[in-house]
Every structure is written in C-alpha cells, then in structure tokens.
Amino acid sequence: YGAIMLFVAFFAFYPVLNKKGVKFDGKIGLALLSFVLFGSSFRILEDLKLLPRSCNPLDFSFYTITPGVYILVGIITFVAVLTTNWLSKKTGVAHFKLLGVTGLILSAPFVLHNFSKFSQPIYFSLILVLTAILVIVSYFVAKQLRKDLVSDHLNILAVCGQALDGTATFVATQMLSCGEQHPVSNAILGIFPLGFVFIKIAIAFMIIYYIDKEIKDPNMKNFLKIIIIILGFAPGLRDAFTVGVGTCN
C-alpha cells in the first residue's frame, strides 16, 4: 500500500499541486498531519464496530478500512490542499493556516469520540512518552553524527512518524493482544521486539538522507518527505488510538 501511495502521489497528485503553485515546507507538513489525524481517527470507527466493512469498492463500507480509507482521505486531502491554496491567494491568509484549520475541523469529531471511548489511557500515554523519548535521543545522536539530518523540520517529522508507528506497534503487540500483519515486521518483533522500533527510525534517517542527497528540486524533495511522514504517522496514530480504545485487550 505504501508503494501504491508513493506512485499515485508522485505521478498524479504532485504534478497538479506543483503546477498550481503549492509550496511544500515544514508548515504545510504540520498542517497535513491534521488530515492524517482525521483518517486515523475515522478508521477507528470500524474497529469499534460502529461502521461496517466491505470488499466492494462501490460500497461506502469499503472506504472505512485499508486500502479504501487511504483512497478516501487522499482524495479529501488533495481537494483541500487545492482549495485552501486558492483561498490563500484570494484572502492573503497563509496557506498552511487554512489547510491546518480545515483538517482539524474534519478530525475533531472523530478524535473527541475516540477519546470518549478510551479504556486504556495509560498505554496510549505510554506510546506518546516512549515516542518522545526516542525522538529526543535520535535527534541528539543524529546531530552528533550528521547535523544536516536534523536541520530540516520535515526530517524531524519523518523520524517522529516512524518512531510513533514503531512504538505503537511494540506496545500493541508486546504488552497487549494485537498482532502484526506484515510478515517481515512480525518476524523482527518475534526475534527482537524493541529492535523493531530502532530499525524503523534508522530506515527513516536513511531515506531522508537519500532524498536530501539525490533530489535537487526543493519542492519535490519536501513533497517526498511529507509522504514519508504520512506513511509513519497514519499507521502510528491509528495503532495508538486502537490501543487507547481498548480493541487490543
């Protein structure tokens, strides 16, 4: 799904957004996280059995689970980016502000609903605390080795996303009853559970290093980093909420 998302984003979304003058940077990256929050919190409704699931793309229930939910949220986000970019030019209000507010308005009802259903707030908080610790440690280690790796806010967000995803998976599978679907990830978790988190962080650094080194177009470079950020935060937030609402018990 990640490979498909990269393909669609790079060959379908980016050319249109770039042509329309959308400039990707750290502020837009943060604004787009509100849409990731929307998608991840909306996905939990199916986990709570409040929405049905379906394998039929013609049925709305298809868009409550993977991969349908990625398609739904992707289209909504794409339209929102174009619309708020147009509004920004008309009103003079910063694009990232309009985009971020739009995403927060969409996500707020689902986030609040999920919080109202929390039965495992301690494990949810543990995920956030462990993620923060790992990101802080990773930041200072990377700063000593290669300062340029953490000089860009998007790079830090990319590491945050992968750290969140890894930590949420670790807590859900090792401390609670959830299982890992990906065979490679499951194998790593079976051999060295905590190592899974560090591997994800290391891969994030490797990818952003390659992007910084090989991609010369600043806008495309930042766009690719935002995709990496989304690929970390989307499953990470979903897993964190899954833990919080207690479906891993």
Side-chain angles (χ1 to χ4, degrees):
Y1 293 140
I4 294 173
M5 179 183 174
L6 280 170
F7 181 85
V8 173
F10 187 77
F11 290 103
F13 288 177
Y14 178 76
V16 176
L17 297 175
N18 189 51
K19 186 177 180 180
K20 293 296 183 179
V22 177
K23 299 301 180 184
F24 297 98
D25 55 21
K27 292 179 179 179
I28 290 293
L30 279 173
L32 284 169
L33 284 182
S34 63
F35 288 86
V36 177
L37 182 61
F38 159 62
S40 298
S41 56
F42 172 75
R43 174 66 181 84
I44 298 302
L45 298 184
E46 192 280 329
D47 289 340
L48 292 171
K49 308 304 179 184
L50 297 176
L51 292 176
R53 61 165 60 198
S54 172
C55 295
N56 181 5
L58 299 179
D59 188 340
F60 176 75
S61 300
F62 174 81
Y63 301 95
T64 65
I65 58 174
T66 307
V69 68
Y70 280 97
I71 298 172
L72 176 65
V73 176
I75 292 174
I76 291 174
T77 304
F78 177 68
V79 173
V81 172
L82 286 176
T83 303
T84 52
N85 184 55
W86 176 80
L87 284 173
S88 175
K89 293 176 180 178
K90 293 293 183 181
T91 63
V93 179
H95 185 197
F96 79 92
K97 292 181 180 179
L98 293 173
L99 185 62
V101 168
T102 302
L104 289 175
I105 291 173
L106 287 173
S107 62
F110 303 107
V111 172
L112 292 174
H113 176 271
N114 291 339
F115 277 133
S116 73
K117 300 296 182 180
F118 264 30
S119 62
Q120 296 290 348
I122 293 178
Y123 284 110
F124 179 83
S125 300
L126 178 62
I127 291 172
L128 299 184
V129 170
L130 289 177
T131 299
I133 292 172
L134 286 169
V135 170
I136 291 172
V137 171
S138 298
Y139 173 83
F140 284 106
V141 171
K143 191 174 182 180
Q144 295 300 316
L145 298 176
R146 288 192 66 93
K147 188 176 180 179
D148 55 314
L149 280 176
V150 290
S151 60
D152 187 338
H153 291 164
L154 288 176
N155 291 2
I156 298 173
L157 282 177
V159 174
C160 285
Q162 295 302 318
L164 175 62
D165 185 21
T167 302
T169 300
F170 174 80
V171 171
T173 59
Q174 304 303 309
M175 300 181 183
L176 298 167
S177 62
C178 276
E180 171 60 45
Q181 294 180 330
H182 196 288
V184 176
S185 299
N186 190 51
I188 297 172
L189 286 166
I191 299 172
F192 183 27
L194 193 57
F196 174 75
V197 183
F198 294 110
I199 289 172
K200 289 189 72 67
I201 293 174
I203 291 175
F205 275 119
M206 290 170 60
I207 292 174
I208 59 179
Y209 169 77
Y210 176 81
I211 291 174
D212 281 333
K213 182 180 179 182
E214 301 296 333
I215 307 299
K216 305 305 179 183
D217 184 334
N219 211 37
M220 182 181 294
K221 179 187 298 185
N222 290 342
F223 178 78
L224 290 174
K225 289 181 182 180
I226 287 173
I227 296 301
I228 302 304
I229 291 168
I230 293 172
L231 288 174
F233 273 102
L237 285 171
R238 184 270 170 103
D239 290 348
F241 276 117
T242 297
V243 168
V245 299
T247 54
C248 277
N249 292 345

